[in-house]
Amino acid sequence: MAEKSRSRGSCCGWFLAFLLLAIVVGAGVYMLVKKFGHHHHHKNAKDEDYASALKLSMQFFDIQKSGRLVDNKISWRGNSALKDGSQAKLDLSKGMYDAGDHMKFGFPMAFTATVLSWAILEYGNNMDKVGQLQPAKESLKWITDYLINAHPSENVLYVQVGDPDADHSCWERPEDMTEARPLTQVNTSSPGTDVAAETAAAMASASLVFKKTDSTYSSTLLKHAKELFNFAEKYRGSYSKSVPEVQTYYNSTGYGDELLWAASWLYHATNDDSYLQYVTGQKGEDYAQWGTPTWFSWDNKLAGTQVLLSRLSFFKANDISDSHGSGLQSYRKTAEAVMCGLLPDSPTATKSRTDKGLIWVSEWNSLQQPVASAFLATLYSDYMITSKTHKLNCDSDSFTPEDLRDFAKSQANYVLGDNPMHMSYLVGYGDKFPQFVHHRGASIPAAEKPSCKDGFKWLESSDPNPNEATGALVGGPFLNETFIDSRNNSMQAEPSAYNTALAVGLFSSLVTTSSAVQSFT
Ligand SMILES: *[C@@H]1O[C@H](CO)[C@@H](O)[C@H](O)[C@H]1NC(C)=O
Ligand SMILES: *[C@@H]1O[C@H](CO)[C@@H](O)[C@H](O)[C@H]1NC(C)=O
Ligand SMILES: *[C@@H]1O[C@H](CO)[C@@H](O)[C@H](O)[C@H]1NC(C)=O
Ligand SMILES: *[C@@H]1O[C@H](CO)[C@@H](O)[C@H](O)[C@H]1NC(C)=O
């Protein structure tokens, strides 16, 4: 999903002369515009209410929780999947359902945990100000409890609960599921470097989250993270090759990005130089695609890794051995290229946008890239502000941290209603939001208990969902900025837990105007 690289034109004498003229005329026009009071940045009339958006988003995690619910706040949810894992004498009842269905897909679920950890580590103070830090940590632990149990021995990781074909041939509430819930594992003969490394990243980042408040739990997570990284590294292979069935839903297009991402998180969690050596040395050369912007997603962690490692060059450059310096610089330069691609006025701005400026890359779940990109942009902006770095150079132009934050807000505001449909894509926010979210639990009245096939009448019903999937961030608009609010429209109207983790990251960064990031430890 790399962006197209740009080639620069050559230039010659008359062109330079023309350029000079253009600059003079341009400067004149700029002075005039300034004099008559037009603001260079056409900002939105108002910023949306990011604290409300954050609180709503956090509720969607409660809706997705599997297992025996503790302090259940969702009236139409109850216990479900209590026997998940029992055939292997494991308790895999916790964790979160992936989306509108009831699969537990380990690859995106681990990514959800890593992103949620990152959001808590950077913006836990902001979350705390609006009463969302505890809920965030509880939701994170709901996933990491599951991941701990899914890793019963060093080189075995359960990566899926449920059979997607059986699951998708039913339309029922999770509380009423009766179909078999088979388990899928990766191991030494059928390795899964991508999924094991992502799970290592989730556990390493979560170990930092719980370090102060629950050191025993934090150590347990770190032990699993180290083992999983070793398993991922030693037994190489994509889980998509070992278990080809996973390709239909969460196909992994490579594992180099997850290895770098996991090692980066392990470095933060341990300060062990060997992990930094791993990412800045040969493995960086092999996998980091230095210089090339990519889209951050459940499949591709490169842009996230570049931003996370930039954190070190912004804040820790003096503590780090010079031998890592040039590798770290390469990550930072690539993070800058990502940022320059996102800024709409940059000479290297990506063309992957709607007319109104929403980053738009894929028809399925189109909001994932703009929300992920905006989260990375606020992080980078805040790293710049905290380290008193005032300028970001994009070819011949330079930009400020405020420009990055304005970009991030533009994406957040679009999601929340500043768009041609005049609707919020976050369920529960504003007065117009999707009513037909593709979500089984939300679509079936809690008093009805249809089993499997009987439930399809609720999918087909023309009535809005009886239960609000509060905080769901749906897939989102087409490139032409339209949206069809229909329950069978899973391309646009289905939410996912990983979208919500990215949204939590973005909204928590925007809750306050102060932009200083906190230290991880
Ligand atoms: C290893 O994983 C593969 C793929 O999931 C599975 O078919 C196989 O049975 C597993 N091996 C053992 C010893 O369980
Ligand atoms: C999964 O990804 C691999 C590697 O990029 C690719 O070769 C394969 O065709 C993909 N499978 C599907 C079903 O898209
Ligand atoms: C918008 O795009 C979608 C998907 O490409 C298409 O089905 C729809 O007809 C378009 N709507 C308009 C109003 O152009
Ligand atoms: C989905 O529902 C809409 C309206 O309810 C209908 O027009 C459309 O044909 C359905 N599409 C599919 C793929 O079932």
Side-chain angles (χ1 to χ4, degrees):
M1 282 187 277
E3 292 177 61
K4 286 198 187 72
S5 60
R6 285 149 185 285
S7 57
R8 281 189 229 195
S10 57
C11 90
C12 40
W14 64 264
F15 182 70
L16 269 181
F18 175 76
L19 198 67
L20 200 64
L21 184 71
I23 288 170
V24 171
V25 172
V29 170
Y30 178 76
M31 299 300 283
L32 275 175
V33 166
K34 238 183 138 170
K35 185 168 173 196
F36 289 103
H38 289 280
H39 205 273
H40 178 63
H41 298 281
H42 29 93
K43 281 205 187 123
N44 296 305
K46 73 172 174 75
D47 282 335
E48 297 289 341
D49 181 355
Y50 305 121
S52 302
L54 175 62
K55 287 181 199 169
L56 289 167
S57 299
M58 214 64 85
Q59 291 184 50
F60 188 62
F61 287 137
D62 290 330
I63 289 175
Q64 295 307 94
K65 281 177 184 164
S66 163
R68 190 174 302 286
L69 301 182
V70 182
D71 287 337
N72 177 22
K73 296 169 200 87
I74 310 295
S75 62
W76 47 274
R77 280 300 328 274
N79 298 340
S80 64
L82 296 178
K83 298 214 170 80
D84 276 7
S86 57
Q87 64 271 54
K89 301 202 163 48
L90 298 173
D91 178 2
L92 299 181
S93 62
K94 283 187 168 183
M96 287 185 195
Y97 300 121
D98 181 60
D101 58 358
H102 302 144
M103 288 299 297
K104 293 179 189 169
F105 289 118
F107 192 41
M109 203 201 302
F111 177 68
T112 302
T114 315
V115 172
L116 181 56
S117 294
W118 198 4
I120 295 171
L121 290 168
E122 303 276 12
Y123 298 115
N125 289 346
N126 287 358
M127 292 178 182
D128 205 18
K129 279 190 190 115
V130 291
Q132 295 305 298
L133 179 58
Q134 267 324 105
K137 287 171 77 173
E138 279 161 24
S139 287
L140 174 61
K141 189 164 182 293
W142 204 266
I143 300 180
T144 51
D145 284 352
Y146 166 89
L147 295 177
I148 288 171
N149 291 351
H151 182 223
S153 64
E154 271 183 62
N155 298 332
V156 173
L157 176 67
Y158 286 88
V159 299
Q160 185 170 299
V161 182
D163 166 1
D165 292 333
D167 187 90
H168 293 156
S169 62
C170 293
W171 191 269
E172 62 198 343
R173 301 163 68 247
E175 293 80 2
D176 306 325
M177 271 192 290
T178 54
E179 61 273 19
R181 301 275 289 168
L183 308 177
T184 307
Q185 62 166 246
V186 292
N187 49 46
T188 55
S189 52
S190 295
T193 298
D194 26 33
V195 66
E198 181 60 62
T199 309
M203 290 169 134
S205 56
S207 80
L208 282 165
V209 170
F210 295 107
K211 197 168 172 178
K212 276 196 207 128
T213 50
D214 190 345
S215 62
T216 311
Y217 190 66
S218 171
S219 308
T220 302
L221 287 168
L222 193 52
K223 175 173 166 286
H224 282 279
K226 289 177 185 171
E227 286 180 4
L228 281 165
F229 181 73
N230 291 340
F231 170 44
E233 164 60 32
K234 192 162 166 203
Y235 298 92
R236 294 293 193 91
S238 168
Y239 94 129
S240 292
K241 292 220 173 84
S242 296
V243 192
E245 305 86 82
V246 303
Q247 291 187 23
T248 315
Y249 296 95
Y250 291 101
N251 189 23
S252 168
T253 53
Y255 55 68
D257 54 327
E258 280 87 15
L259 284 171
L260 298 176
W261 175 237
S264 303
W265 277 113
L266 276 159
Y267 175 71
H268 283 87
T270 60
N271 271 317
D272 176 343
D273 210 56
S274 66
Y275 292 114
L276 197 52
Q277 181 56 44
Y278 187 93
V279 295
T280 57
Q282 188 58 42
K283 295 301 193 306
E285 302 276 352
D286 291 347
Y287 300 133
Q289 295 178 29
W290 284 327
T292 309
T294 47
W295 298 110
F296 185 45
S297 76
W298 57 263
D299 182 26
N300 189 336
K301 285 71 185 208
L302 286 178
T305 306
Q306 285 137 7
V307 171
L308 178 63
L309 292 176
S310 298
R311 196 180 210 288
L312 296 176
S313 66
F314 276 115
F315 303 125
K316 294 262 162 92
N318 295 335
D319 310 347
I320 286 171
S321 151
D322 287 346
S323 66
H324 304 310
S326 73
L328 275 186
Q329 273 309 310
S330 305
Y331 285 101
R332 169 117 168 230
K333 288 266 166 246
T334 313
E336 285 176 1
V338 172
M339 296 303 137
C340 290
L342 298 176
L343 288 165
D345 298 331
S346 153
T348 55
T350 176
K351 291 205 162 42
S352 304
R353 285 176 224 264
T354 65
D355 286 349
K356 294 286 180 203
L358 180 74
I359 293 287
W360 198 96
V361 177
S362 67
E363 197 159 56
W364 276 89
N365 194 5
S366 63
L367 287 175
Q368 64 177 318
Q369 289 89 2
V371 173
S373 301
F375 177 45
L376 294 185
T378 51
L379 284 170
Y380 206 82
S381 164
D382 291 344
Y383 295 167
M384 288 178 72
I385 291 171
T386 309
S387 65
K388 303 199 171 17
T389 307
H390 304 296
K391 293 242 174 301
L392 167 67
N393 293 321
C394 302
D395 277 6
S396 51
D397 285 0
S398 85
F399 295 88
T400 64
E402 289 71 29
D403 294 327
L404 281 171
R405 199 174 172 88
D406 286 347
F407 160 75
K409 281 187 179 178
S410 74
Q411 307 299 294
N413 292 350
Y414 188 111
V415 167
L416 296 175
D418 186 6
N419 59 57
M421 296 294 287
H422 304 291
M423 72 185 290
S424 158
Y425 292 107
L426 180 72
V427 174
Y429 187 92
D431 7 291
K432 189 180 169 201
F433 50 81
Q435 301 296 314
F436 292 83
V437 177
H438 180 94
H439 190 278
R440 289 182 212 158
S443 73
I444 302 172
E448 305 274 343
K449 307 217 174 298
S451 68
C452 192
K453 305 282 179 211
D454 302 340
F456 278 101
K457 65 171 184 248
W458 301 105
L459 170 63
E460 288 146 17
S461 159
S462 55
D463 293 332
N465 285 351
N467 309 313
E468 186 182 275
T470 307
L473 179 67
V474 296
F478 287 126
L479 179 57
N480 61 22
E481 314 197 75
T482 64
F483 175 83
I484 300 166
D485 188 9
S486 166
R487 203 177 287 115
N488 65 15
N489 182 10
S490 48
M491 181 192 277
Q492 292 189 291
E494 186 169 15
S496 63
Y498 54 92
N499 270 12
T500 291
L502 292 162
V504 161
L506 174 59
F507 296 138
S508 62
S509 75
L510 296 174
V511 160
T512 59
T513 48
S514 97
S515 315
V517 290
Q518 34 187 105
S519 137
F520 274 10
T521 42

